[in-house]
Amino acid sequence: MILPIYIYGQPVLRKISQDITPDYPNLKELIANMFETLTESDGVGLAAPQIGLDIRLVVIDLDVLSEDLPEYKDFRKAYINPHILEYDDTNVDSSEEGCLSIPGIYESVKRPTRIHVKYADEDFNEHDEWVEGHLARVMQHEFDHLDAKMFIDRISPLRKQLIKNKLKAILQGRFKCSYRVKAVRK
């Protein structure tokens, strides 16, 4: 089932998410719905707050990038209770990011290229690993959602000032996107 994406201004996007247990109701179905929603909205990552749930759950599908980044062929993973344990600031990369919850806005964001993460997979097997490259960027972007942050919080004050009117327009419901959304009521 395709779920509506919660848009900038929705309170759940600014709420810190909680870890879940293996008995979370209909978890497998929720993950499948999140992947279906992600595919329908042409995204590469989706965090639970973006569908209105304040739980630590993220799905990432990098297969769509496999033409340019062949190492991500068939890469589709769910991350349950993910946490970034450490940032390796040795290499920092600046790259343009966008967000399904902030339609039409793209900004350059600096992020470390390597991070240490822990998470559980769909079977609640624990993982503790270092991740690098594009996956590390996507994880940081999506895991930020779980900590009540958005990519616009990581841009310079000047850039934020320059997009202020676009953000205001989103809050007022004046934006276009090709997927189902749940915007703030005017």
Side-chain angles (χ1 to χ4, degrees), residues 5-8 13 34 37-47 50-51 97-106 141-142 145 150-151 170 175-182:
I5 305 280
Y6 281 56
I7 298 298
Y8 176 75
L13 295 173
M34 286 178 71
T37 302
L38 181 62
T39 300
E40 182 66 23
S41 56
D42 291 325
V44 294
L46 185 66
Q50 293 180 276
I51 56 161
E97 293 186 18
C99 181
L100 296 173
S101 293
I102 311 176
I105 296 179
Y106 301 89
H141 177 107
E142 298 306 330
H145 280 297
M150 301 180 88
F151 83 94
I170 291 172
F175 63 89
K176 289 184 175 142
C177 61
S178 61
Y179 45 86
R180 269 182 73 203
V181 300
K182 185 163 176 70

Side-chain angles (χ1 to χ4, degrees), residues 133-179:
H134 196 72
L135 177 58
R137 173 171 292 278
V138 174
M139 282 180 158
Q140 288 173 81
H141 177 107
E142 298 306 330
F143 296 1
D144 270 357
H145 280 297
L146 306 178
D147 294 321
K149 292 185 180 86
M150 301 180 88
F151 83 94
I152 56 172
D153 301 329
R154 299 198 178 274
I155 62 176
S156 73
L158 174 61
R159 290 301 313 160
K160 196 152 188 184
Q161 187 64 33
L162 291 171
I163 64 168
K164 186 174 83 171
N165 287 337
K166 289 180 181 178
L167 292 171
K168 187 176 176 183
I170 291 172
L171 288 173
Q172 295 170 342
R174 294 184 291 118
F175 63 89
K176 289 184 175 142
C177 61
S178 61
Y179 45 86

Side-chain angles (χ1 to χ4, degrees), residues 5 81 86 125 132 138 174:
I5 305 280
N81 302 331
E86 192 177 347
N125 296 312
E132 53 190 80
V138 174
R174 294 184 291 118

Side-chain angles (χ1 to χ4, degrees), residues 108-121:
S108 187
V109 179
K110 283 184 182 176
R111 296 194 188 266
T113 58
R114 188 169 176 261
I115 57 172
H116 182 197
V117 297
K118 75 171 185 172
Y119 62 91
D121 60 27

